[in-house]
Amino acid sequence: MRDILPALSDWYAAGQPFGLATVVAVSRSAPRDPGAAMAVGPGDEAVGSVSGGCVEGAVFELAKEVVQSGEARLETFGYSDEDAFAVGLTCGGEITLLVRPVTRETDPGFAAVAESVAGGRPVTVATVTDGPARVGATLAVWPDEVSGTLGPTGLDVAVTADARGELALGATGLRHYGPRGERREDAVSVFLHSFAPPPRMLVFGAIDYAAAVARIGSFLGYRVTVCDARPVFATPKRFPDAVEVIVDWPHRYLRGTETDERTVVCVLTHDPKFDVPLLEEALRRPAAYIGAMGSRRTHDDRLKRLVDAGLNEAELSRLRSPVGLDLGARTPEEVAVSVAAEIVALRWGGSGAPLTATAGTIHPSP
């Protein structure tokens, strides 16, 4: 979608309607991931791809049809049969496409979304793909505002909350709701397309606990990097869930690495020669979460060393140490759950208390 947005923006600015096909679901060995897109605009010009060539001809015709009818369509393409002229995927997978018309009237927020994507501002576009809500209706969700509507207010509220959750992780996929946004129902299908890279999780210290934290970080949608100065321990084989395994002094690696307000830093070295210079660097740069493993005695010694290094009270207040919520965790996997729970609670303002001990709505309004 990012690649074809310049062409779509030009058509939109000129008031030229176009048909936009987006992959909303895949199975097995489908050639493209959800979010892949193809569009057909004025003069039958086509841009983008949804299958690498398998079904583009059929999608081309569908895109023209939805522009003429003004009605969105949901279509699924699977494995082609023995008929050489059948339309299908020779790879044996299956893709589901939403093909919808885009005009200034049907999608008034399109220009703002395109501008945000071009400018690197995170945004999620929610589109109804099936159910009693209007198929093709869109709702654009930014961290601090929304534009458009999917229909009922309750549906907009529920989808906005989920869209911001997906946006925080740079995730894309289908969600299901009741007609008025009820959870645990599947009458309405909504495709959440996030235009943001996944956030980073930087794990320092190549120990068993780091492997478990990397595993749960990957599960939560983070792009995980494990760093340790010891090459015998920092190996891809020991950390298969990490995108990168770096052999370097932690503070030196972090100094040359970009972080932002979504980055998670987990310091599991619990060795002053590693973690003090690392935390000096981490606590003075953007990050959503900075946690450090160690006993309370280790924590007290670490704080003293950081104060001696010149860190002020505001910088030290960002440190979550000892790391994690109090779950009574013992194993590396249990500790990883406690760390992940603290990261999620800090991101969304959760108390960390059992829901049986709280009152009010479980999912706060966005």
Side-chain angles (χ1 to χ4, degrees):
M1 178 66 89
R2 292 177 186 273
D3 294 338
I4 67 175
L5 266 177
L8 306 191
S9 296
D10 289 344
W11 295 342
Y12 189 88
Q16 299 281 354
F18 56 89
L20 177 62
T22 305
V23 178
V24 297
V26 301
S27 68
R28 301 189 301 277
S29 56
R32 301 297 301 274
D33 292 326
M38 171 182 168
V40 178
D44 289 347
E45 180 182 357
V47 294
S49 172
V50 291
S51 72
C54 297
V55 300
E56 265 66 9
V59 175
F60 178 85
E61 297 300 331
L62 278 172
K64 292 199 297 180
E65 289 175 15
V66 300
V67 170
Q68 293 175 351
S69 68
E71 299 291 334
R73 290 175 57 177
L74 190 69
E75 296 285 345
T76 297
F77 295 92
Y79 183 69
S80 60
D81 59 24
E82 294 179 358
D83 181 354
F85 297 100
V87 176
L89 300 179
T90 56
C91 61
E94 184 175 276
I95 60 172
T96 299
L97 306 173
L98 177 69
V99 189
R100 65 185 182 94
V102 179
T103 67
R104 292 177 179 176
E105 293 72 28
T106 61
D107 196 347
F110 182 86
V113 169
E115 183 178 351
S116 292
V117 174
R121 184 186 178 199
V123 60
T124 293
V125 178
T127 309
V128 175
T129 65
D130 197 13
R134 182 174 65 85
V135 175
T138 61
L139 176 72
V141 181
W142 290 267
D144 54 358
E145 64 177 303
V146 298
S147 175
T149 180
L150 304 181
T153 300
L155 182 60
D156 283 349
V157 169
V159 171
T160 296
D162 287 347
R164 286 183 174 146
E166 299 291 82
L167 187 58
L169 294 173
T172 288
L174 280 172
R175 290 292 188 97
H176 305 280
Y177 308 88
R180 294 177 178 80
E182 300 92 340
R183 299 181 185 276
R184 296 177 295 151
E185 295 188 26
D186 58 4
V188 180
S189 298
V190 180
F191 182 63
L192 302 181
H193 191 177
S194 296
F195 293 92
R200 299 193 67 187
M201 173 181 280
L202 306 179
V203 181
F204 295 96
I207 60 177
D208 288 346
Y209 290 93
V213 169
R215 192 176 310 123
I216 202 166
S218 177
F219 173 75
L220 290 176
Y222 287 93
R223 182 177 183 270
V224 179
T225 297
V226 175
C227 176
D228 195 294
R230 302 165 297 176
V232 68
F233 296 113
T235 65
K237 184 176 181 179
R238 295 188 69 223
F239 299 96
D241 296 288
V243 174
E244 300 173 302
V245 179
I246 304 295
V247 178
D248 199 352
W249 279 80
H251 72 282
R252 184 167 60 192
Y253 172 74
L254 184 59
R255 189 175 298 150
T257 299
E258 184 177 351
T259 63
D260 60 25
E261 288 74 12
R262 300 186 302 151
T263 303
V264 165
V265 178
C266 296
V267 179
L268 310 181
T269 50
H270 55 85
D271 183 333
K273 71 175 177 290
F274 289 120
D275 60 19
V276 171
L278 171 60
L279 288 169
E280 279 188 69
E281 180 69 31
L283 293 169
R284 288 171 170 157
R285 58 165 53 228
Y289 175 91
I290 303 170
M293 176 177 279
S295 66
R296 298 193 188 280
R297 180 177 176 179
T298 298
H299 170 69
D300 292 339
D301 177 70
R302 183 188 289 135
L303 279 183
K304 182 179 182 302
R305 292 172 184 267
L306 291 171
V307 170
D308 292 343
L311 273 78
N312 60 40
E313 185 175 345
E315 291 166 336
L316 292 173
S317 68
R318 301 177 62 206
L319 177 61
R320 316 290 289 194
S321 174
V323 70
L325 297 185
D326 180 13
L327 304 182
R330 293 291 184 272
T331 68
E333 290 75 17
E334 290 174 343
V335 170
V337 170
S338 79
V339 173
E342 184 175 45
I343 291 170
V344 173
L346 185 64
R347 181 198 298 155
W348 301 116
S351 67
L355 288 174
T356 54
T358 64
T361 58
I362 295 175
H363 302 285
S365 298

